[in-house]
Amino acid sequence: MDPIKFAVVGCGNIGKRHVAVINREEHAQLVAVCDIDVQVLAQLKSDYDVKTYTDYDAMLRESDVDIVCICTPHGLHAPMSEAAAMAGKHILVEKPVALTAEKMIKTAKNQGVNLYVVKQNRYNKPIMLVKQLLDEQRLGKIFMVQTNVLWNRHQKYYDESPWRGKKDTEGGALHTQVSHFLDLLIWWFGDIVKARSLYDTLNHDIEIEDCGVSALRFQNGALGSLIWTTCVYNANYEGSTTIMGALGTIKIGGRYLNKIDYWDVQSYPQPLDEEFTDLPNIYSHYQGTSSNHDKLINNLIGQIIEDRKGVVEGSEGSEGLKSIEVIEKIYSSV
């Protein structure tokens, strides 16, 4: 079997994660990387012996790749996805799929290529266990859901990258820090049909919000609350979701939805014979959501080779797009 050929554009923190995972995957081949930082490219060429580009269009023209991983600032996701689709390449785009995604989805469809969205937190063991319980209706009717994204980002985090903290390139904290959490809520409980929100910028010199609260109603009738911030003192405190149903209560917590903090489910004791802690991505000055990109890339390759499902698609009406629709609904519900 020939390996699936990958290219990565945008070789910052998360792009380097993609590069490392692809390089280790048995059925993948890293063919090319693209970035505007020549020093970053030089290091990647030294580490992986890979073809490097500073010109994205040139990489698309010259590289014989099957999939382009787009790990650039949010505002570039749509035009770069459209360019990859026009070049006949499948696309794996980091969250969020884009700030506005309709055109990129249409272009991918018209060109007959697949568009996928990175949702690596779905592979967290506690997340998968809760999904199983919900599908089996072991929690009964769901009454309420509480999600807290209580994280720290120092001003240096925003200052070190020109796209962060800007409305036209980052969008907002919901796009960057919260989109994975919203994806899981939709995956578990259906669409968010109503929201009432307040948000503000209280602790940073940025264009986007750094604090927000929202009251939510889900398609299944459950009520929800969402609190998000990048203002926690010194370091990330918590990323958690608590589910309250007629037959049980579960809290998935830790800092990155990577451990079970509370479990009380009728006739279903907490599994104690398996390690449920998933590790976070660790960057230079902070930590991010779980480091399960290896599971996602492996599943994506299987999906392409064997036509099996699993990776979140970015097609019209898909779960990948619903996260963006929900973010827009929350921001407009003040």
Side-chain angles (χ1 to χ4, degrees):
M1 183 186 70
D2 294 331
I4 305 297
K5 297 177 181 179
F6 284 81
V8 177
V9 57
C11 299
N13 290 320
I14 203 64
K16 291 173 184 174
R17 174 72 180 158
H18 280 248
V19 167
V21 167
I22 292 165
N23 184 66
R24 291 196 299 267
E25 172 58 47
E26 179 182 1
H27 299 297
Q29 179 183 354
L30 181 65
V31 173
V33 294
C34 181
D35 200 274
I36 59 174
D37 190 324
V38 294
Q39 292 183 332
V40 168
L41 292 179
Q43 186 62 56
L44 291 173
K45 184 174 183 60
S46 174
D47 292 342
Y48 299 99
D49 190 27
V50 63
K51 180 70 174 177
T52 62
Y53 292 87
T54 56
D55 186 322
Y56 179 58
D57 291 330
M59 185 188 78
L60 292 177
R61 288 194 308 270
E62 299 173 12
S63 299
D64 178 24
V65 302
D66 302 300
I67 303 176
V68 178
C69 298
I70 297 178
C71 306
T72 51
H74 306 161
L76 296 176
H77 287 186
M80 285 188 160
S81 294
E82 292 161 26
M86 293 299 294
K89 317 296 185 185
H90 299 301
I91 304 145
L92 175 63
V93 61
E94 266 291 342
K95 61 83 182 169
V97 60
L99 300 184
T100 55
E102 288 80 4
K103 186 178 179 182
M104 64 187 279
I105 290 171
K106 182 178 180 180
T107 302
K109 180 179 180 181
N110 290 342
Q111 295 300 312
V113 300
N114 295 327
L115 173 63
Y116 304 99
V117 187
V118 173
K119 301 291 185 182
Q120 82 274 11
N121 280 17
R122 290 192 180 195
Y123 296 90
N124 288 18
K125 291 179 182 178
I127 299 297
M128 295 175 70
L129 178 61
V130 168
K131 175 62 172 172
Q132 176 188 335
L133 263 63
L134 290 170
D135 288 346
E136 296 173 356
Q137 299 184 340
R138 289 184 175 271
L139 296 179
K141 180 180 179 180
I142 304 301
F143 302 136
M144 300 188 73
V145 183
Q146 174 183 293
T147 294
N148 297 329
V149 187
L150 308 178
W151 285 1
N152 163 271
R153 294 294 182 267
H154 296 294
Q155 184 65 40
K156 182 179 180 180
Y157 163 84
Y158 295 101
D159 294 342
E160 68 183 5
S161 294
W163 66 273
R164 291 177 183 157
K166 306 293 194 303
K167 286 186 178 180
D168 60 343
T169 51
E170 183 172 359
L174 287 179
H175 293 92
T176 305
Q177 278 78 36
V178 188
S179 62
H180 282 306
F181 293 82
L182 290 170
D183 170 67
L184 296 176
L185 293 177
I186 296 166
W187 193 40
W188 284 338
F189 309 116
D191 292 344
I192 293 173
V193 297
K194 191 174 184 180
R196 290 290 183 268
S197 309
L198 293 171
Y199 52 90
D200 206 341
T201 309
L202 301 178
N203 194 44
H204 298 90
D205 182 18
I206 53 177
E207 297 176 2
I208 64 173
E209 89 286 358
D210 58 15
C211 293
V213 296
S214 187
L216 310 171
R217 183 179 290 279
F218 291 88
Q219 189 175 44
N220 69 351
L223 298 179
S225 69
L226 170 66
I227 299 176
W228 74 97
T229 186
T230 57
C231 294
V232 172
Y233 172 72
N234 192 45
N236 287 2
Y237 169 61
E238 177 180 282
S240 71
T241 293
T242 302
I243 304 167
M244 291 154 276
L247 301 179
T249 303
I250 296 175
K251 179 180 180 181
I252 299 179
R255 294 183 180 181
Y256 312 100
L257 292 177
N258 56 358
K259 60 180 292 191
I260 296 174
D261 281 349
Y262 185 82
W263 182 287
D264 184 13
V265 181
Q266 178 178 292
S267 302
Y268 200 110
Q270 178 179 342
L272 299 176
D273 58 349
E274 185 173 355
E275 176 59 54
F276 282 106
T277 300
D278 292 280
L279 298 175
N281 281 306
I282 300 176
Y283 306 126
S284 55
H285 301 298
Y286 65 97
Q287 295 183 344
T289 47
S290 67
S291 56
N292 281 329
H293 284 78
D294 57 332
K295 298 181 181 66
L296 184 143
I297 294 293
N298 181 270
N299 205 358
L300 175 60
I301 291 171
Q303 189 158 323
I304 292 173
I305 295 173
E306 302 172 6
D307 195 30
R308 69 178 187 232
K309 299 298 182 182
V311 182
V312 178
E313 297 182 1
S315 57
E316 185 176 2
S318 70
E319 293 169 332
L321 183 59
K322 286 181 179 180
S323 298
I324 300 302
E325 294 171 345
V326 165
I327 287 173
E328 293 173 352
K329 182 174 293 185
I330 292 173
Y331 278 141
S332 64
S333 66
V334 293

